[in-house]
Amino acid sequence: MTQHRKQVILGAHFPGVNNTTVWSDPASGSHIDLSSFTHFAQTAERGRFDFLFLAEGLRLREQRGRIHDLDVVGRPDTFTVLAAMAAVTQHLGLAGTINTTFNEPYEVARQFATLDHLSGGRAAWNVVTSSDAFTGENFRRGGFLPHAERYERAEEFIATARELWDSWPVDAVRADGADFLADASAGTFEHRGKHFDVAGRFSVPRSPQVHPVVLQAGDSSDGRELAARSADAIFSRHSTGDGAREFYRDVKGRLERYGRRPDALKILPAATFVLGDTDAEAVARAAEVRRQQVSPQTAILLLEQVWNRDLSDYDPDGPLPTVDPIVSEASSIVRGRARQVGDPAAEAARYRAVAEAKGLSIREVVIELTGRQTFVGSPETVARALEDAVATEVSDGFILVPHITPGGLDEFADRVVPLLQERGVLRRDYAEGATLRDHLGLGAARSASNWGTGVSAAHGASTEPLRTGVGASA
Ligand SMILES: Cc1cc2nc3c(=O)[nH]c(=O)nc-3n(C[C@H](O)[C@H](O)[C@H](O)COP(=O)(O)O)c2cc1C
């Protein structure tokens, strides 16, 4: 008897400004052309991925007062890109990162409901709260909110959006009778809360998923709690080993108090991969990729984020600076979300210890101590490692970030995906249903009033998608 294996959930992270990208590779293309997004999304769909994933930055990062090297590719608007991708794919989920600190629920709910209609039920929202006032300067007076209040607002934001999505009853619209509107109250809503005091009519009829899939990215206890209470999945940076298993246990352990089963929240870390014909070839390739990712100027930029000083006069092939890092937050050389360094003095000491022990230059020590490729090996090795990670509760799947745009996913789709399918851990077709909720095995959305009340989807009054009438979707 064949045993049912736990399926590997796969997201495809379009790299954008991410410093995974190897810019010097001749295959490296535009990060903003429609053709790049199209190629990437269609490859993900060919590889039977669950969803395309876009991160978001609402302000380009700066360092030493200049736009960060990687950010010169720009940050196009998430909804516009995802709407375009809805037109060139049929099954792939479309996940966009949208901030709850600088937006309003009505507008965001409207945009996601629209995307859900346009895509036939494939929309997903990665909720972020943002980590810096620098971004906030673009949007709000005072720039920012304290950490705990950002999460409080996020919680209420999601709840309000769900109320709006629910505001059009099933079969509210009919195209056959004299009266198009079957339910006179369709779209009416009223939300009176600490952060949002809104009432009116929602402008988008019930969408195929009713509630787009909600992911959360944020690592603190508050962030994890928000995910446990209000999200369908969590995007994390814990991709390997015991650290990842600990994260998995911690987050899944938070679900019970909200009456949720462990599989109601999917844990999806970011991961990178490098393939080769043999494991040895992949290891050599991974080392070369890492060298290319940390170019001489990138090495200095990354080191400046630890030292919090202008180090542009230093030779990347020379020794580490003898001056100490500047610890004061107020004089940060980096503006905008970047690699976070908790204790610069301790981090600098670690750099010095490793550089001294191994006789490394600046560039070499940065390569040694920053980012690793998560999966390195032959296609067989990587397929096995992915299956093992999911079977041993490292995660429920991965959001893969290739190092070449737009073609970096091709090799994975051609060489690893067939092996995952042979192993019975990845779909051969999108047979589970039409929507992203179906693909992720999330079941029907439950109504807004059933979230956070300890009523699980299995027992709660689940909402139903619009099936007939104007605006109905197959
Ligand atoms: C894996 C991961 C991915 C994130 N991606 C984004 C992003 O694309 N855009 C963004 O504005 N913030 C992003 N964030 C930032 C979070 O929204 C959050 O503001 C930040 O992590 C601070 O919250 P925390 O203390 O709970 O981690 C990400 C965070 C994590 C952990």
Side-chain angles (χ1 to χ4, degrees), residues 12-14 51-57 75-83 85 92-100 103 108 111-112 115 122-128 165 209 212-217 235 399 436:
H13 186 318
F14 186 86
F51 57 89
L52 166 72
F53 181 90
L54 300 184
E56 186 190 60
R75 288 282 208 177
D77 173 67
T78 300
F79 284 109
T80 316
V81 173
L82 292 182
M85 292 307 98
L92 189 68
L94 303 167
T97 300
I98 294 290
N99 191 290
T100 52
N103 290 302
V108 169
Q111 288 164 316
F112 274 113
L115 181 65
R122 296 187 278 137
W125 171 19
N126 178 37
V127 174
V128 294
W165 291 326
Q209 294 187 105
V213 173
V214 172
L215 295 92
Q216 192 280 144
F235 176 41
I399 300 185
L436 179 57

Side-chain angles (χ1 to χ4, degrees), residues 5 17 19 22 38 83 112-113 115-116 139 147 172 182 200 202 206 267 269 302 325 349 366 419 441 447 468:
R5 297 208 169 99
V17 303
N19 71 356
V22 171
T38 302
F112 274 113
L115 181 65
D116 206 45
F139 297 95
H147 190 273
F202 190 50
R206 181 169 288 231
I267 306 221
L302 291 176
V366 172
L419 300 177
S447 64
T468 57

Side-chain angles (χ1 to χ4, degrees), residues 326-463:
I326 296 173
V327 176
S328 157
E329 279 246 339
S331 63
S332 180
I333 192 167
V334 182
R335 303 202 73 201
R337 200 165 58 84
R339 219 158 55 85
Q340 281 140 7
V341 178
D343 178 349
E347 191 65 351
R350 191 166 76 97
Y351 274 63
R352 284 185 173 134
V354 171
E356 201 173 293
K358 300 191 175 180
L360 304 180
S361 68
I362 288 177
R363 185 177 178 202
E364 288 164 340
V365 77
V366 172
I367 289 170
E368 177 81 12
L369 291 180
T370 62
R372 291 263 178 285
Q373 316 296 353
T374 322
F375 295 104
V376 177
S378 66
E380 291 76 13
T381 299
V382 169
R384 192 171 349 105
L386 279 161
E387 181 184 357
D388 286 351
V390 167
T392 61
E393 305 199 326
V394 164
S395 73
D396 295 313
F398 291 92
I399 300 185
L400 297 181
V401 197
H403 56 264
I404 300 287
T405 302
L409 214 55
D410 299 31
E411 205 183 357
F412 188 92
D414 293 335
R415 303 187 69 188
V416 182
V417 163
L419 300 177
L420 292 172
Q421 290 169 329
E422 267 170 36
R423 302 175 85 91
V425 296
L426 183 69
R427 65 179 66 79
R428 288 182 188 275
D429 270 307
Y430 292 98
E432 307 96 337
T435 69
L436 179 57
R437 299 191 72 84
D438 293 334
H439 299 151
L440 295 174
L442 290 171
R446 55 186 157 133
S447 64
S449 57
N450 281 344
W451 277 91
T453 60
V455 181
S456 73
H459 310 295
S462 70
T463 46

Side-chain angles (χ1 to χ4, degrees), residues 155-217:
E155 176 84 38
E156 196 180 326
F157 196 118
I158 299 169
T160 309
R162 287 193 170 122
E163 289 163 25
L164 295 169
W165 291 326
D166 285 350
S167 67
W168 283 74
V170 183
D171 298 336
V173 181
R174 60 171 177 234
D176 49 356
D179 192 356
F180 280 178
L181 199 61
D183 184 331
S185 69
T188 52
F189 67 89
E190 181 173 344
H191 178 98
R192 307 283 174 208
K194 176 174 169 192
H195 292 273
F196 307 107
D197 186 6
V198 287
R201 278 212 192 222
F202 190 50
S203 57
V204 187
R206 181 169 288 231
S207 74
Q209 294 187 105
V210 190
H211 298 176
V213 173
V214 172
L215 295 92
Q216 192 280 144

